[in-house]
Amino acid sequence: MAVNVLFLPDRVTATAQPGELLLTVAQRAGVSIPTGCLKGVCYMCKVAIEGQENPIRACIATVPTDGLSIVHRYAQNN
């Protein structure tokens, strides 16, 4: 079952499968999330998921199964 992911501030919505890497979904949608190590160590790809308290790393985090996920990209210098 596909879910929608909304990337802010770009306001780009992408369809994704639960379990897909969030970074992969962003890249497919043309949304640039800076990356470094691709192993979750450098934190360059951190994003915030609306409704979650702590930021996540897009290179290792997967798309959840429930409804619309709203992803807030940080500025590169954060």
Side-chain angles (χ1 to χ4, degrees), residues 5-14 26 29-34 45-50 69-78:
V5 179
L6 173 62
F7 293 95
L8 296 176
D10 307 278
R11 300 205 51 78
V12 172
T13 302
V31 174
S32 176
I33 296 176
C45 65
K46 71 179 179 177
V47 295
I49 302 292
E50 195 164 287
S69 292
I70 300 177
V71 179
H72 297 272
R73 289 188 306 114
Y74 290 101
Q76 283 190 345
N77 60 356
N78 283 346

Side-chain angles (χ1 to χ4, degrees), residues 43-67:
Y43 284 81
M44 186 180 286
C45 65
K46 71 179 179 177
V47 295
I49 302 292
E50 195 164 287
Q52 291 186 10
E53 190 171 318
N54 297 316
I56 61 166
R57 291 157 287 174
C59 73
I60 61 170
T62 59
V63 174
T65 59
D66 54 340

